[in-house]
Amino acid sequence: MATPVVRQFGGARRRLIEELQQKGISDISVLRAFDEVPRHIFVPTGVQHRAYEDSPLPIGNGQTISQPWVHARYLELLGLTGSERVLEIGTGSGFQTALLSRLAGQVFSIERIPALAEEARLALKQCEIG
Protein backbone atom coordinates (compact mmCIF):
# COMPACT_ATOMS: atom_id res chain seq x y z
CA MET A 1 0.00 0.00 0.00
CA ALA A 2 1.35 3.43 -0.95
CA THR A 3 2.26 5.83 1.85
CA PRO A 4 0.44 9.19 2.10
CA VAL A 5 3.59 10.92 0.76
CA VAL A 6 3.50 8.76 -2.37
CA ARG A 7 -0.28 9.11 -2.86
CA GLN A 8 -0.14 12.91 -2.68
CA PHE A 9 -0.13 14.45 -6.20
CA GLY A 10 -0.95 10.97 -7.57
CA GLY A 11 -2.95 12.28 -10.53
CA ALA A 12 -0.24 14.76 -11.51
CA ARG A 13 2.40 12.02 -11.26
CA ARG A 14 0.41 9.74 -13.55
CA ARG A 15 -0.02 12.55 -16.08
CA LEU A 16 3.76 13.06 -16.03
CA ILE A 17 4.31 9.36 -16.64
CA GLU A 18 1.92 9.49 -19.59
CA GLU A 19 3.81 12.51 -20.95
CA LEU A 20 7.13 10.66 -20.60
CA GLN A 21 5.66 7.73 -22.52
CA GLN A 22 4.45 10.07 -25.25
CA LYS A 23 7.99 11.45 -25.47
CA GLY A 24 9.37 7.96 -26.07
CA ILE A 25 10.21 6.57 -22.63
CA SER A 26 9.18 2.92 -22.73
CA ASP A 27 11.24 1.14 -20.05
CA ILE A 28 8.63 -0.14 -17.58
CA SER A 29 11.06 -0.19 -14.65
CA VAL A 30 11.95 3.47 -15.23
CA LEU A 31 8.28 4.45 -15.48
CA ARG A 32 7.53 2.45 -12.31
CA ALA A 33 10.33 4.30 -10.48
CA PHE A 34 8.71 7.62 -11.47
CA ASP A 35 5.40 6.34 -10.12
CA GLU A 36 6.98 5.28 -6.82
CA VAL A 37 9.15 8.34 -6.15
CA PRO A 38 7.24 11.52 -5.18
CA ARG A 39 9.14 14.34 -6.96
CA HIS A 40 7.32 17.01 -4.93
CA ILE A 41 9.27 15.92 -1.84
CA PHE A 42 12.53 16.81 -3.59
CA VAL A 43 11.69 20.41 -4.50
CA PRO A 44 11.20 23.48 -2.28
CA THR A 45 7.65 24.06 -1.05
CA GLY A 46 7.36 27.19 -3.19
CA VAL A 47 7.54 25.13 -6.39
CA GLN A 48 5.87 21.91 -5.25
CA HIS A 49 2.78 22.79 -7.31
CA ARG A 50 5.04 22.49 -10.40
CA ALA A 51 6.80 19.27 -9.33
CA TYR A 52 5.15 17.11 -11.99
CA GLU A 53 5.72 19.42 -14.92
CA ASP A 54 8.33 18.15 -17.36
CA SER A 55 10.66 21.03 -16.60
CA PRO A 56 13.71 21.76 -14.45
CA LEU A 57 13.01 23.55 -11.17
CA PRO A 58 15.20 25.57 -8.79
CA ILE A 59 16.28 23.74 -5.63
CA GLY A 60 18.38 26.51 -4.05
CA ASN A 61 22.07 27.31 -3.91
CA GLY A 62 22.03 28.16 -7.62
CA GLN A 63 21.12 24.57 -8.54
CA THR A 64 18.19 22.93 -10.30
CA ILE A 65 16.49 19.57 -10.37
CA SER A 66 16.62 18.30 -13.96
CA GLN A 67 13.52 17.96 -16.06
CA PRO A 68 11.93 14.51 -15.61
CA TRP A 69 12.40 13.51 -19.25
CA VAL A 70 16.19 13.99 -18.86
CA HIS A 71 16.20 11.74 -15.78
CA ALA A 72 14.04 9.14 -17.51
CA ARG A 73 16.08 9.10 -20.72
CA TYR A 74 19.45 8.64 -19.06
CA LEU A 75 18.04 5.96 -16.73
CA GLU A 76 16.59 4.16 -19.71
CA LEU A 77 19.94 4.35 -21.51
CA LEU A 78 21.75 2.93 -18.47
CA GLY A 79 19.66 -0.24 -18.73
CA LEU A 80 20.10 -1.13 -15.06
CA THR A 81 19.20 -4.69 -14.06
CA GLY A 82 18.92 -4.22 -10.31
CA SER A 83 22.27 -5.73 -9.33
CA GLU A 84 24.53 -2.74 -10.01
CA ARG A 85 26.44 -0.60 -7.53
CA VAL A 86 26.06 3.00 -8.69
CA LEU A 87 28.10 6.06 -7.71
CA GLU A 88 26.27 9.33 -8.22
CA ILE A 89 28.36 12.50 -8.17
CA GLY A 90 26.21 15.49 -7.24
CA THR A 91 23.21 14.41 -5.18
CA GLY A 92 21.45 17.74 -5.62
CA SER A 93 17.86 17.34 -4.46
CA GLY A 94 18.17 13.56 -4.05
CA PHE A 95 15.47 12.81 -6.64
CA GLN A 96 17.87 11.07 -8.99
CA THR A 97 19.24 9.14 -6.02
CA ALA A 98 15.72 7.97 -5.17
CA LEU A 99 15.04 6.90 -8.75
CA LEU A 100 18.35 5.02 -8.86
CA SER A 101 17.45 3.27 -5.59
CA ARG A 102 14.49 1.71 -7.40
CA LEU A 103 16.63 0.51 -10.32
CA ALA A 104 20.05 -0.51 -8.95
CA GLY A 105 21.21 -2.84 -6.22
CA GLN A 106 23.11 -0.20 -4.26
CA VAL A 107 23.51 3.57 -4.68
CA PHE A 108 26.27 5.79 -3.30
CA SER A 109 25.81 9.53 -3.71
CA ILE A 110 27.95 12.52 -2.77
CA GLU A 111 27.10 16.22 -2.69
CA ARG A 112 29.57 19.10 -2.19
CA ILE A 113 26.99 21.68 -1.06
CA PRO A 114 26.15 20.95 2.60
CA ALA A 115 22.68 22.55 2.50
CA LEU A 116 21.67 20.45 -0.50
CA ALA A 117 23.12 17.31 1.07
CA GLU A 118 21.03 17.86 4.20
CA GLU A 119 17.82 18.61 2.26
CA ALA A 120 18.37 15.50 0.12
CA ARG A 121 18.99 13.39 3.22
CA LEU A 122 15.70 14.60 4.75
CA ALA A 123 13.74 14.00 1.53
CA LEU A 124 15.18 10.50 1.12
CA LYS A 125 14.34 9.69 4.73
CA GLN A 126 10.78 10.98 4.23
CA CYS A 127 10.47 8.58 1.30
CA GLU A 128 11.92 5.76 3.42
CA ILE A 129 15.06 5.52 1.29
CA GLY A 130 18.52 5.14 2.76
PDB file of all heavy atoms in Angstrom, residues 25-63:
ATOM      1  N   ILE A  25       9.680   7.402 -23.712  1.00  0.00           N
ATOM      2  CA  ILE A  25      10.206   6.574 -22.629  1.00  0.00           C
ATOM      3  C   ILE A  25       9.339   5.317 -22.540  1.00  0.00           C
ATOM      4  O   ILE A  25       8.127   5.409 -22.325  1.00  0.00           O
ATOM      5  CB  ILE A  25      10.208   7.334 -21.282  1.00  0.00           C
ATOM      6  CG1 ILE A  25      11.004   8.642 -21.389  1.00  0.00           C
ATOM      7  CG2 ILE A  25      10.724   6.439 -20.159  1.00  0.00           C
ATOM      8  CD1 ILE A  25      12.461   8.475 -21.787  1.00  0.00           C
ATOM      9  N   SER A  26       9.966   4.158 -22.699  1.00  0.00           N
ATOM     10  CA  SER A  26       9.184   2.918 -22.726  1.00  0.00           C
ATOM     11  C   SER A  26       9.638   1.875 -21.709  1.00  0.00           C
ATOM     12  O   SER A  26       8.968   0.860 -21.543  1.00  0.00           O
ATOM     13  CB  SER A  26       9.237   2.312 -24.135  1.00  0.00           C
ATOM     14  OG  SER A  26      10.584   2.006 -24.480  1.00  0.00           O
ATOM     15  N   ASP A  27      10.740   2.097 -21.033  1.00  0.00           N
ATOM     16  CA  ASP A  27      11.239   1.135 -20.048  1.00  0.00           C
ATOM     17  C   ASP A  27      10.293   1.116 -18.845  1.00  0.00           C
ATOM     18  O   ASP A  27      10.176   2.103 -18.116  1.00  0.00           O
ATOM     19  CB  ASP A  27      12.658   1.520 -19.620  1.00  0.00           C
ATOM     20  CG  ASP A  27      13.300   0.504 -18.701  1.00  0.00           C
ATOM     21  OD1 ASP A  27      12.626   0.014 -17.766  1.00  0.00           O
ATOM     22  OD2 ASP A  27      14.490   0.212 -18.898  1.00  0.00           O
ATOM     23  N   ILE A  28       9.633  -0.013 -18.645  1.00  0.00           N
ATOM     24  CA  ILE A  28       8.632  -0.145 -17.584  1.00  0.00           C
ATOM     25  C   ILE A  28       9.234   0.084 -16.205  1.00  0.00           C
ATOM     26  O   ILE A  28       8.602   0.706 -15.337  1.00  0.00           O
ATOM     27  CB  ILE A  28       7.949  -1.534 -17.647  1.00  0.00           C
ATOM     28  CG1 ILE A  28       7.185  -1.689 -18.968  1.00  0.00           C
ATOM     29  CG2 ILE A  28       7.025  -1.753 -16.457  1.00  0.00           C
ATOM     30  CD1 ILE A  28       6.112  -0.663 -19.197  1.00  0.00           C
ATOM     31  N   SER A  29      10.464  -0.378 -15.967  1.00  0.00           N
ATOM     32  CA  SER A  29      11.064  -0.193 -14.647  1.00  0.00           C
ATOM     33  C   SER A  29      11.349   1.282 -14.374  1.00  0.00           C
ATOM     34  O   SER A  29      11.200   1.747 -13.239  1.00  0.00           O
ATOM     35  CB  SER A  29      12.334  -1.038 -14.490  1.00  0.00           C
ATOM     36  OG  SER A  29      13.303  -0.671 -15.442  1.00  0.00           O
ATOM     37  N   VAL A  30      11.720   2.036 -15.387  1.00  0.00           N
ATOM     38  CA  VAL A  30      11.951   3.471 -15.228  1.00  0.00           C
ATOM     39  C   VAL A  30      10.618   4.169 -14.946  1.00  0.00           C
ATOM     40  O   VAL A  30      10.528   4.990 -14.026  1.00  0.00           O
ATOM     41  CB  VAL A  30      12.642   4.074 -16.475  1.00  0.00           C
ATOM     42  CG1 VAL A  30      12.669   5.599 -16.414  1.00  0.00           C
ATOM     43  CG2 VAL A  30      14.049   3.516 -16.619  1.00  0.00           C
ATOM     44  N   LEU A  31       9.601   3.848 -15.692  1.00  0.00           N
ATOM     45  CA  LEU A  31       8.281   4.447 -15.476  1.00  0.00           C
ATOM     46  C   LEU A  31       7.741   4.097 -14.090  1.00  0.00           C
ATOM     47  O   LEU A  31       7.157   4.942 -13.411  1.00  0.00           O
ATOM     48  CB  LEU A  31       7.318   4.017 -16.575  1.00  0.00           C
ATOM     49  CG  LEU A  31       7.678   4.519 -17.985  1.00  0.00           C
ATOM     50  CD1 LEU A  31       6.839   3.812 -19.040  1.00  0.00           C
ATOM     51  CD2 LEU A  31       7.542   6.023 -18.084  1.00  0.00           C
ATOM     52  N   ARG A  32       7.967   2.873 -13.650  1.00  0.00           N
ATOM     53  CA  ARG A  32       7.527   2.454 -12.312  1.00  0.00           C
ATOM     54  C   ARG A  32       8.262   3.264 -11.240  1.00  0.00           C
ATOM     55  O   ARG A  32       7.657   3.691 -10.246  1.00  0.00           O
ATOM     56  CB  ARG A  32       7.774   0.970 -12.090  1.00  0.00           C
ATOM     57  CG  ARG A  32       7.217   0.470 -10.754  1.00  0.00           C
ATOM     58  CD  ARG A  32       7.417  -1.017 -10.515  1.00  0.00           C
ATOM     59  NE  ARG A  32       7.026  -1.827 -11.647  1.00  0.00           N
ATOM     60  CZ  ARG A  32       7.888  -2.599 -12.342  1.00  0.00           C
ATOM     61  NH1 ARG A  32       9.156  -2.658 -12.025  1.00  0.00           N
ATOM     62  NH2 ARG A  32       7.455  -3.317 -13.354  1.00  0.00           N
ATOM     63  N   ALA A  33       9.560   3.499 -11.439  1.00  0.00           N
ATOM     64  CA  ALA A  33      10.330   4.300 -10.479  1.00  0.00           C
ATOM     65  C   ALA A  33       9.726   5.703 -10.366  1.00  0.00           C
ATOM     66  O   ALA A  33       9.595   6.242  -9.262  1.00  0.00           O
ATOM     67  CB  ALA A  33      11.794   4.370 -10.897  1.00  0.00           C
ATOM     68  N   PHE A  34       9.340   6.298 -11.495  1.00  0.00           N
ATOM     69  CA  PHE A  34       8.710   7.617 -11.467  1.00  0.00           C
ATOM     70  C   PHE A  34       7.372   7.583 -10.736  1.00  0.00           C
ATOM     71  O   PHE A  34       6.988   8.553 -10.099  1.00  0.00           O
ATOM     72  CB  PHE A  34       8.535   8.173 -12.886  1.00  0.00           C
ATOM     73  CG  PHE A  34       9.722   8.939 -13.366  1.00  0.00           C
ATOM     74  CD1 PHE A  34      10.794   8.286 -13.952  1.00  0.00           C
ATOM     75  CD2 PHE A  34       9.792  10.315 -13.219  1.00  0.00           C
ATOM     76  CE1 PHE A  34      11.907   8.990 -14.384  1.00  0.00           C
ATOM     77  CE2 PHE A  34      10.895  11.031 -13.639  1.00  0.00           C
ATOM     78  CZ  PHE A  34      11.960  10.359 -14.227  1.00  0.00           C
ATOM     79  N   ASP A  35       6.670   6.473 -10.826  1.00  0.00           N
ATOM     80  CA  ASP A  35       5.399   6.340 -10.124  1.00  0.00           C
ATOM     81  C   ASP A  35       5.612   6.184  -8.623  1.00  0.00           C
ATOM     82  O   ASP A  35       4.803   6.655  -7.826  1.00  0.00           O
ATOM     83  CB  ASP A  35       4.619   5.148 -10.680  1.00  0.00           C
ATOM     84  CG  ASP A  35       3.189   5.120 -10.173  1.00  0.00           C
ATOM     85  OD1 ASP A  35       2.559   6.197 -10.090  1.00  0.00           O
ATOM     86  OD2 ASP A  35       2.705   4.020  -9.866  1.00  0.00           O
ATOM     87  N   GLU A  36       6.706   5.565  -8.231  1.00  0.00           N
ATOM     88  CA  GLU A  36       6.977   5.277  -6.818  1.00  0.00           C
ATOM     89  C   GLU A  36       7.671   6.416  -6.078  1.00  0.00           C
ATOM     90  O   GLU A  36       7.599   6.485  -4.851  1.00  0.00           O
ATOM     91  CB  GLU A  36       7.835   4.020  -6.697  1.00  0.00           C
ATOM     92  CG  GLU A  36       7.131   2.757  -7.154  1.00  0.00           C
ATOM     93  CD  GLU A  36       8.043   1.547  -7.194  1.00  0.00           C
ATOM     94  OE1 GLU A  36       9.268   1.680  -6.950  1.00  0.00           O
ATOM     95  OE2 GLU A  36       7.526   0.454  -7.472  1.00  0.00           O
ATOM     96  N   VAL A  37       8.366   7.293  -6.799  1.00  0.00           N
ATOM     97  CA  VAL A  37       9.146   8.345  -6.145  1.00  0.00           C
ATOM     98  C   VAL A  37       8.414   9.685  -6.270  1.00  0.00           C
ATOM     99  O   VAL A  37       8.237  10.203  -7.369  1.00  0.00           O
ATOM    100  CB  VAL A  37      10.564   8.444  -6.746  1.00  0.00           C
ATOM    101  CG1 VAL A  37      11.328   9.607  -6.130  1.00  0.00           C
ATOM    102  CG2 VAL A  37      11.325   7.134  -6.545  1.00  0.00           C
ATOM    103  N   PRO A  38       8.000  10.265  -5.157  1.00  0.00           N
ATOM    104  CA  PRO A  38       7.241  11.521  -5.180  1.00  0.00           C
ATOM    105  C   PRO A  38       8.169  12.728  -5.403  1.00  0.00           C
ATOM    106  O   PRO A  38       8.819  13.210  -4.478  1.00  0.00           O
ATOM    107  CB  PRO A  38       6.587  11.557  -3.801  1.00  0.00           C
ATOM    108  CG  PRO A  38       7.511  10.767  -2.935  1.00  0.00           C
ATOM    109  CD  PRO A  38       8.123   9.718  -3.817  1.00  0.00           C
ATOM    110  N   ARG A  39       8.231  13.234  -6.620  1.00  0.00           N
ATOM    111  CA  ARG A  39       9.141  14.339  -6.957  1.00  0.00           C
ATOM    112  C   ARG A  39       8.881  15.588  -6.114  1.00  0.00           C
ATOM    113  O   ARG A  39       9.799  16.344  -5.819  1.00  0.00           O
ATOM    114  CB  ARG A  39       9.030  14.665  -8.454  1.00  0.00           C
ATOM    115  CG  ARG A  39      10.071  15.681  -8.943  1.00  0.00           C
ATOM    116  CD  ARG A  39      10.012  15.821 -10.461  1.00  0.00           C
ATOM    117  NE  ARG A  39      11.104  16.615 -10.980  1.00  0.00           N
ATOM    118  CZ  ARG A  39      10.958  17.775 -11.612  1.00  0.00           C
ATOM    119  NH1 ARG A  39       9.732  18.267 -11.809  1.00  0.00           N
ATOM    120  NH2 ARG A  39      11.997  18.427 -12.070  1.00  0.00           N
ATOM    121  N   HIS A  40       7.632  15.798  -5.699  1.00  0.00           N
ATOM    122  CA  HIS A  40       7.315  17.009  -4.934  1.00  0.00           C
ATOM    123  C   HIS A  40       8.068  17.064  -3.603  1.00  0.00           C
ATOM    124  O   HIS A  40       8.280  18.149  -3.067  1.00  0.00           O
ATOM    125  CB  HIS A  40       5.808  17.138  -4.712  1.00  0.00           C
ATOM    126  CG  HIS A  40       5.204  16.079  -3.853  1.00  0.00           C
ATOM    127  ND1 HIS A  40       4.822  14.851  -4.358  1.00  0.00           N
ATOM    128  CD2 HIS A  40       4.928  16.057  -2.524  1.00  0.00           C
ATOM    129  CE1 HIS A  40       4.327  14.126  -3.382  1.00  0.00           C
ATOM    130  NE2 HIS A  40       4.381  14.834  -2.250  1.00  0.00           N
ATOM    131  N   ILE A  41       8.502  15.950  -3.084  1.00  0.00           N
ATOM    132  CA  ILE A  41       9.265  15.918  -1.835  1.00  0.00           C
ATOM    133  C   ILE A  41      10.682  16.471  -2.047  1.00  0.00           C
ATOM    134  O   ILE A  41      11.317  16.943  -1.116  1.00  0.00           O
ATOM    135  CB  ILE A  41       9.334  14.468  -1.303  1.00  0.00           C
ATOM    136  CG1 ILE A  41       7.948  13.951  -0.980  1.00  0.00           C
ATOM    137  CG2 ILE A  41      10.277  14.334  -0.109  1.00  0.00           C
ATOM    138  CD1 ILE A  41       7.202  14.774   0.056  1.00  0.00           C
ATOM    139  N   PHE A  42      11.155  16.445  -3.279  1.00  0.00           N
ATOM    140  CA  PHE A  42      12.534  16.812  -3.592  1.00  0.00           C
ATOM    141  C   PHE A  42      12.692  18.234  -4.125  1.00  0.00           C
ATOM    142  O   PHE A  42      13.762  18.595  -4.587  1.00  0.00           O
ATOM    143  CB  PHE A  42      13.124  15.796  -4.581  1.00  0.00           C
ATOM    144  CG  PHE A  42      13.214  14.420  -3.992  1.00  0.00           C
ATOM    145  CD1 PHE A  42      12.168  13.520  -4.117  1.00  0.00           C
ATOM    146  CD2 PHE A  42      14.338  14.032  -3.282  1.00  0.00           C
ATOM    147  CE1 PHE A  42      12.240  12.253  -3.554  1.00  0.00           C
ATOM    148  CE2 PHE A  42      14.426  12.778  -2.720  1.00  0.00           C
ATOM    149  CZ  PHE A  42      13.368  11.887  -2.849  1.00  0.00           C
ATOM    150  N   VAL A  43      11.623  19.009  -4.070  1.00  0.00           N
ATOM    151  CA  VAL A  43      11.693  20.408  -4.500  1.00  0.00           C
ATOM    152  C   VAL A  43      11.217  21.303  -3.360  1.00  0.00           C
ATOM    153  O   VAL A  43      10.456  20.862  -2.500  1.00  0.00           O
ATOM    154  CB  VAL A  43      10.862  20.669  -5.783  1.00  0.00           C
ATOM    155  CG1 VAL A  43      11.370  19.829  -6.948  1.00  0.00           C
ATOM    156  CG2 VAL A  43       9.389  20.422  -5.551  1.00  0.00           C
ATOM    157  N   PRO A  44      11.648  22.555  -3.338  1.00  0.00           N
ATOM    158  CA  PRO A  44      11.196  23.477  -2.282  1.00  0.00           C
ATOM    159  C   PRO A  44       9.676  23.662  -2.306  1.00  0.00           C
ATOM    160  O   PRO A  44       9.038  23.563  -3.362  1.00  0.00           O
ATOM    161  CB  PRO A  44      11.909  24.788  -2.638  1.00  0.00           C
ATOM    162  CG  PRO A  44      13.087  24.387  -3.464  1.00  0.00           C
ATOM    163  CD  PRO A  44      12.633  23.176  -4.229  1.00  0.00           C
ATOM    164  N   THR A  45       9.107  23.931  -1.146  1.00  0.00           N
ATOM    165  CA  THR A  45       7.647  24.060  -1.048  1.00  0.00           C
ATOM    166  C   THR A  45       7.080  25.110  -2.002  1.00  0.00           C
ATOM    167  O   THR A  45       5.979  24.942  -2.504  1.00  0.00           O
ATOM    168  CB  THR A  45       7.210  24.394   0.401  1.00  0.00           C
ATOM    169  OG1 THR A  45       7.896  25.570   0.826  1.00  0.00           O
ATOM    170  CG2 THR A  45       7.517  23.253   1.340  1.00  0.00           C
ATOM    171  N   GLY A  46       7.837  26.145  -2.293  1.00  0.00           N
ATOM    172  CA  GLY A  46       7.359  27.195  -3.186  1.00  0.00           C
ATOM    173  C   GLY A  46       7.145  26.760  -4.622  1.00  0.00           C
ATOM    174  O   GLY A  46       6.454  27.448  -5.376  1.00  0.00           O
ATOM    175  N   VAL A  47       7.723  25.635  -5.020  1.00  0.00           N
ATOM    176  CA  VAL A  47       7.540  25.132  -6.390  1.00  0.00           C
ATOM    177  C   VAL A  47       6.933  23.730  -6.421  1.00  0.00           C
ATOM    178  O   VAL A  47       6.851  23.114  -7.479  1.00  0.00           O
ATOM    179  CB  VAL A  47       8.862  25.170  -7.214  1.00  0.00           C
ATOM    180  CG1 VAL A  47       9.318  26.589  -7.454  1.00  0.00           C
ATOM    181  CG2 VAL A  47       9.941  24.326  -6.562  1.00  0.00           C
ATOM    182  N   GLN A  48       6.457  23.247  -5.273  1.00  0.00           N
ATOM    183  CA  GLN A  48       5.865  21.907  -5.247  1.00  0.00           C
ATOM    184  C   GLN A  48       4.682  21.772  -6.199  1.00  0.00           C
ATOM    185  O   GLN A  48       4.479  20.709  -6.772  1.00  0.00           O
ATOM    186  CB  GLN A  48       5.444  21.522  -3.829  1.00  0.00           C
ATOM    187  CG  GLN A  48       6.593  21.025  -3.006  1.00  0.00           C
ATOM    188  CD  GLN A  48       6.153  20.490  -1.662  1.00  0.00           C
ATOM    189  OE1 GLN A  48       5.036  20.753  -1.203  1.00  0.00           O
ATOM    190  NE2 GLN A  48       7.024  19.751  -1.025  1.00  0.00           N
ATOM    191  N   HIS A  49       3.929  22.840  -6.397  1.00  0.00           N
ATOM    192  CA  HIS A  49       2.784  22.794  -7.307  1.00  0.00           C
ATOM    193  C   HIS A  49       3.225  22.550  -8.758  1.00  0.00           C
ATOM    194  O   HIS A  49       2.417  22.165  -9.594  1.00  0.00           O
ATOM    195  CB  HIS A  49       1.960  24.086  -7.206  1.00  0.00           C
ATOM    196  CG  HIS A  49       2.698  25.305  -7.667  1.00  0.00           C
ATOM    197  ND1 HIS A  49       3.688  25.912  -6.908  1.00  0.00           N
ATOM    198  CD2 HIS A  49       2.602  26.014  -8.821  1.00  0.00           C
ATOM    199  CE1 HIS A  49       4.166  26.943  -7.579  1.00  0.00           C
ATOM    200  NE2 HIS A  49       3.517  27.036  -8.737  1.00  0.00           N
ATOM    201  N   ARG A  50       4.506  22.723  -9.055  1.00  0.00           N
ATOM    202  CA  ARG A  50       5.041  22.486 -10.403  1.00  0.00           C
ATOM    203  C   ARG A  50       5.874  21.207 -10.481  1.00  0.00           C
ATOM    204  O   ARG A  50       6.488  20.924 -11.507  1.00  0.00           O
ATOM    205  CB  ARG A  50       5.913  23.675 -10.810  1.00  0.00           C
ATOM    206  CG  ARG A  50       5.133  24.980 -10.913  1.00  0.00           C
ATOM    207  CD  ARG A  50       5.978  26.115 -11.426  1.00  0.00           C
ATOM    208  NE  ARG A  50       6.604  25.745 -12.694  1.00  0.00           N
ATOM    209  CZ  ARG A  50       7.803  26.200 -13.092  1.00  0.00           C
ATOM    210  NH1 ARG A  50       8.484  27.046 -12.335  1.00  0.00           N
ATOM    211  NH2 ARG A  50       8.297  25.826 -14.242  1.00  0.00           N
ATOM    212  N   ALA A  51       5.904  20.426  -9.420  1.00  0.00           N
ATOM    213  CA  ALA A  51       6.801  19.274  -9.334  1.00  0.00           C
ATOM    214  C   ALA A  51       6.603  18.257 -10.447  1.00  0.00           C
ATOM    215  O   ALA A  51       7.555  17.580 -10.836  1.00  0.00           O
ATOM    216  CB  ALA A  51       6.645  18.587  -7.980  1.00  0.00           C
ATOM    217  N   TYR A  52       5.412  18.136 -10.981  1.00  0.00           N
ATOM    218  CA  TYR A  52       5.151  17.108 -11.990  1.00  0.00           C
ATOM    219  C   TYR A  52       5.054  17.662 -13.402  1.00  0.00           C
ATOM    220  O   TYR A  52       4.588  16.994 -14.310  1.00  0.00           O
ATOM    221  CB  TYR A  52       3.942  16.270 -11.580  1.00  0.00           C
ATOM    222  CG  TYR A  52       4.259  15.556 -10.285  1.00  0.00           C
ATOM    223  CD1 TYR A  52       3.822  16.060  -9.071  1.00  0.00           C
ATOM    224  CD2 TYR A  52       5.088  14.443 -10.285  1.00  0.00           C
ATOM    225  CE1 TYR A  52       4.181  15.443  -7.875  1.00  0.00           C
ATOM    226  CE2 TYR A  52       5.453  13.825  -9.097  1.00  0.00           C
ATOM    227  CZ  TYR A  52       4.996  14.329  -7.899  1.00  0.00           C
ATOM    228  OH  TYR A  52       5.367  13.720  -6.726  1.00  0.00           O
ATOM    229  N   GLU A  53       5.534  18.879 -13.576  1.00  0.00           N
ATOM    230  CA  GLU A  53       5.721  19.417 -14.923  1.00  0.00           C
ATOM    231  C   GLU A  53       7.012  18.822 -15.465  1.00  0.00           C
ATOM    232  O   GLU A  53       7.943  18.543 -14.708  1.00  0.00           O
ATOM    233  CB  GLU A  53       5.865  20.943 -14.877  1.00  0.00           C
ATOM    234  CG  GLU A  53       4.642  21.680 -14.433  1.00  0.00           C
ATOM    235  CD  GLU A  53       4.878  23.182 -14.315  1.00  0.00           C
ATOM    236  OE1 GLU A  53       5.949  23.676 -14.726  1.00  0.00           O
ATOM    237  OE2 GLU A  53       3.974  23.864 -13.795  1.00  0.00           O
ATOM    238  N   ASP A  54       7.096  18.659 -16.756  1.00  0.00           N
ATOM    239  CA  ASP A  54       8.328  18.155 -17.360  1.00  0.00           C
ATOM    240  C   ASP A  54       9.269  19.333 -17.611  1.00  0.00           C
ATOM    241  O   ASP A  54       9.516  19.732 -18.745  1.00  0.00           O
ATOM    242  CB  ASP A  54       8.043  17.396 -18.656  1.00  0.00           C
ATOM    243  CG  ASP A  54       9.274  16.653 -19.162  1.00  0.00           C
ATOM    244  OD1 ASP A  54      10.171  16.353 -18.347  1.00  0.00           O
ATOM    245  OD2 ASP A  54       9.345  16.396 -20.376  1.00  0.00           O
ATOM    246  N   SER A  55       9.749  19.890 -16.511  1.00  0.00           N
ATOM    247  CA  SER A  55      10.655  21.028 -16.602  1.00  0.00           C
ATOM    248  C   SER A  55      11.602  21.024 -15.408  1.00  0.00           C
ATOM    249  O   SER A  55      11.266  20.494 -14.349  1.00  0.00           O
ATOM    250  CB  SER A  55       9.876  22.343 -16.656  1.00  0.00           C
ATOM    251  OG  SER A  55       9.134  22.515 -15.471  1.00  0.00           O
ATOM    252  N   PRO A  56      12.797  21.630 -15.595  1.00  0.00           N
ATOM    253  CA  PRO A  56      13.705  21.757 -14.448  1.00  0.00           C
ATOM    254  C   PRO A  56      13.134  22.777 -13.469  1.00  0.00           C
ATOM    255  O   PRO A  56      12.374  23.662 -13.865  1.00  0.00           O
ATOM    256  CB  PRO A  56      15.012  22.252 -15.082  1.00  0.00           C
ATOM    257  CG  PRO A  56      14.611  22.890 -16.360  1.00  0.00           C
ATOM    258  CD  PRO A  56      13.343  22.218 -16.806  1.00  0.00           C
ATOM    259  N   LEU A  57      13.490  22.633 -12.199  1.00  0.00           N
ATOM    260  CA  LEU A  57      13.011  23.551 -11.168  1.00  0.00           C
ATOM    261  C   LEU A  57      14.171  23.939 -10.263  1.00  0.00           C
ATOM    262  O   LEU A  57      15.080  23.141 -10.033  1.00  0.00           O
ATOM    263  CB  LEU A  57      11.911  22.885 -10.327  1.00  0.00           C
ATOM    264  CG  LEU A  57      10.638  22.483 -11.058  1.00  0.00           C
ATOM    265  CD1 LEU A  57       9.731  21.662 -10.154  1.00  0.00           C
ATOM    266  CD2 LEU A  57       9.907  23.716 -11.572  1.00  0.00           C
ATOM    267  N   PRO A  58      14.141  25.153  -9.709  1.00  0.00           N
ATOM    268  CA  PRO A  58      15.205  25.568  -8.790  1.00  0.00           C
ATOM    269  C   PRO A  58      15.104  24.802  -7.467  1.00  0.00           C
ATOM    270  O   PRO A  58      14.007  24.544  -6.977  1.00  0.00           O
ATOM    271  CB  PRO A  58      14.918  27.055  -8.581  1.00  0.00           C
ATOM    272  CG  PRO A  58      13.457  27.196  -8.833  1.00  0.00           C
ATOM    273  CD  PRO A  58      13.118  26.175  -9.891  1.00  0.00           C
ATOM    274  N   ILE A  59      16.272  24.433  -6.922  1.00  0.00           N
ATOM    275  CA  ILE A  59      16.284  23.743  -5.629  1.00  0.00           C
ATOM    276  C   ILE A  59      17.121  24.501  -4.592  1.00  0.00           C
ATOM    277  O   ILE A  59      17.352  24.010  -3.498  1.00  0.00           O
ATOM    278  CB  ILE A  59      16.792  22.291  -5.756  1.00  0.00           C
ATOM    279  CG1 ILE A  59      18.194  22.231  -6.347  1.00  0.00           C
ATOM    280  CG2 ILE A  59      15.794  21.449  -6.528  1.00  0.00           C
ATOM    281  CD1 ILE A  59      18.854  20.866  -6.284  1.00  0.00           C
ATOM    282  N   GLY A  60      17.575  25.707  -4.965  1.00  0.00           N
ATOM    283  CA  GLY A  60      18.376  26.510  -4.051  1.00  0.00           C
ATOM    284  C   GLY A  60      19.857  26.394  -4.331  1.00  0.00           C
ATOM    285  O   GLY A  60      20.296  25.527  -5.091  1.00  0.00           O
ATOM    286  N   ASN A  61      20.620  27.294  -3.750  1.00  0.00           N
ATOM    287  CA  ASN A  61      22.073  27.307  -3.906  1.00  0.00           C
ATOM    288  C   ASN A  61      22.512  27.373  -5.369  1.00  0.00           C
ATOM    289  O   ASN A  61      23.544  26.811  -5.745  1.00  0.00           O
ATOM    290  CB  ASN A  61      22.699  26.093  -3.215  1.00  0.00           C
ATOM    291  CG  ASN A  61      22.509  26.140  -1.722  1.00  0.00           C
ATOM    292  OD1 ASN A  61      23.209  26.878  -1.037  1.00  0.00           O
ATOM    293  ND2 ASN A  61      21.535  25.400  -1.218  1.00  0.00           N
ATOM    294  N   GLY A  62      21.697  28.018  -6.207  1.00  0.00           N
ATOM    295  CA  GLY A  62      22.029  28.165  -7.616  1.00  0.00           C
ATOM    296  C   GLY A  62      21.927  26.873  -8.418  1.00  0.00           C
ATOM    297  O   GLY A  62      22.451  26.779  -9.518  1.00  0.00           O
ATOM    298  N   GLN A  63      21.234  25.875  -7.894  1.00  0.00           N
ATOM    299  CA  GLN A  63      21.122  24.567  -8.538  1.00  0.00           C
ATOM    300  C   GLN A  63      19.677  24.299  -8.965  1.00  0.00           C
ATOM    301  O   GLN A  63      18.746  24.942  -8.475  1.00  0.00           O
ATOM    302  CB  GLN A  63      21.581  23.463  -7.580  1.00  0.00           C
ATOM    303  CG  GLN A  63      22.991  23.634  -7.054  1.00  0.00           C
ATOM    304  CD  GLN A  63      24.028  23.607  -8.144  1.00  0.00           C
ATOM    305  OE1 GLN A  63      24.085  22.671  -8.938  1.00  0.00           O
ATOM    306  NE2 GLN A  63      24.849  24.646  -8.206  1.00  0.00           N
TER     307      GLN A  63
END
